């Protein structure tokens, strides 16, 4: 089980029912065992799996009259992944912005957004190839499947698919955000040459001479 793989079948499982309980409040092993009519050991085994997957975590202790009991809660990442609001909100926001802003203004806003996503402080002294690889790693973390191709005169970040593909179909300006992110992280000018016919895929060129 990984974050983002929520479905009805999962929530019908023991682990899913534990997640449902932890969405409401912090609970101890005993609390969960009583609520789900399970043994303490069965609950501990499920919690261990949820901790390993980054879904649940210890949240402190509660006094019980004897030895304090550990309480558990959902991780912030689990709470975020349970929401289905981000995608429709983003697409609706882009539609609204597209209706009220010109192309130039929209492009500049996307570039500013890309710069905000990037941080150069940790690798400002690294060579260009290293900075480009780190930018590609960030794009992978954001959901892309990307690779860096090195040629004598240029470095290319090539994506297979696009992490923002659905948004880009209606709003090509969104590519400016990724272009700006790569430029900010690499410290070099970037030429965006994304493929938008058919399934969109990313392509960014960084000249070595830069």
């Amino acid at each position: 089980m990984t974050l983002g793989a929520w479905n009805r079948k999962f929530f019908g499982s023991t682990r899913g029912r534990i997640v449902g309980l932890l969405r409401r409040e912090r609970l101890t092993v005993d609390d969960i065992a009583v609520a789900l009519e399970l043994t303490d050991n069965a609950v501990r085994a499920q919690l261990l799996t949820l901790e390993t997957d980054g879904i649940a975590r210890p949240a402190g202790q509660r006094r019980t009259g004897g030895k304090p009991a550990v309480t558990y809660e959902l991780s912030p990442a689990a709470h975020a992944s349970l929401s289905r609001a981000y995608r429709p909100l983003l697409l609706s926001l882009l539609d609204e912005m597209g209706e009220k802003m010109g192309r130039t203004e929209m492009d500049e806003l996307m570039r500013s957004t890309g710069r905000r996503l990037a941080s150069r402080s940790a690798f400002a002294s690294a060579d260009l190839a290293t900075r480009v690889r780190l930018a590609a790693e960030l794009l992978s973390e954001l959901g892309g499947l990307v690779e860096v191709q090195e040629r004598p005169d240029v470095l290319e970040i090539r994506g297979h698919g696009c992490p923002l593909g659905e948004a880009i179909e209606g709003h090509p300006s969104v590519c400016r955000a990724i272009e700006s992110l790569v430029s900010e992280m690499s410290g070099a000018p970037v030429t965006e040459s994304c493929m938008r016919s058919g399934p969109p895929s990313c392509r960014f060129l960084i000249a070595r001479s830069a």
Side-chain angles (χ1 to χ4, degrees):
M1 175 66 196
T2 57
L3 296 181
W6 311 114
N7 55 46
R8 186 172 297 177
K9 182 177 179 180
F10 170 75
F11 284 111
S13 70
T14 299
R15 262 177 286 171
R17 293 164 68 198
I18 291 175
V19 168
L21 291 173
L22 295 180
R23 291 187 77 182
R24 295 175 172 83
E25 58 183 327
R26 294 176 177 178
L27 297 171
T28 66
V29 169
D30 285 346
D31 293 333
I32 297 170
V34 170
L36 300 183
E37 298 182 347
L38 298 171
T39 66
D40 288 357
N41 286 338
V43 172
R44 289 191 180 93
Q46 298 292 347
L47 284 171
L48 179 60
T49 300
L50 291 171
E51 282 189 70
T52 301
D53 289 342
I55 297 172
R57 65 182 186 180
Q61 294 185 331
R62 181 194 301 164
R63 294 185 180 278
T64 61
K67 182 180 179 181
V70 176
T71 61
Y72 291 85
E73 66 181 3
L74 292 188
S75 68
H79 277 293
S81 70
L82 283 162
S83 174
R84 294 185 175 89
Y86 294 102
R87 173 181 165 276
L89 178 62
L90 171 63
L91 295 176
S92 296
L93 177 61
L94 288 171
D95 287 341
E96 189 73 12
M97 291 164 54
E99 292 177 2
K100 295 183 177 179
M101 300 172 66
R103 178 65 180 269
T104 300
E105 190 179 7
M106 187 77 162
D107 282 354
E108 184 50 42
L109 178 61
M110 290 298 106
R111 289 191 176 96
S112 178
T113 301
R115 289 191 292 270
R116 185 180 291 270
L117 282 171
S119 173
R120 296 176 54 190
S121 59
F123 45 84
S125 61
D127 60 68
L128 178 62
T130 298
R131 296 197 302 268
V132 170
R133 284 195 295 272
L134 289 169
E137 288 177 9
L138 178 56
L139 293 182
S140 294
E141 291 174 7
L142 293 174
L145 177 60
V146 301
E147 60 185 8
V148 177
Q149 298 180 355
E150 298 191 29
R151 299 195 291 274
D153 59 336
V154 71
L155 293 161
E156 177 181 345
I157 294 179
R158 181 179 288 272
H160 304 280
C162 175
L164 295 171
E166 190 171 359
I168 286 170
E169 288 181 9
H171 303 280
S173 291
V174 172
C175 287
R176 302 282 85 78
I178 306 301
E179 178 188 59
S180 183
L181 181 153
V182 174
S183 180
E184 186 76 7
M185 293 187 69
S186 66
V190 174
T191 300
E192 177 263 308
S193 185
C194 297
M195 303 294 292
R196 299 188 183 88
S197 58
S201 59
C202 301
R203 186 168 182 249
F204 301 99
L205 304 175
I206 306 96
R208 288 184 181 275
S209 60

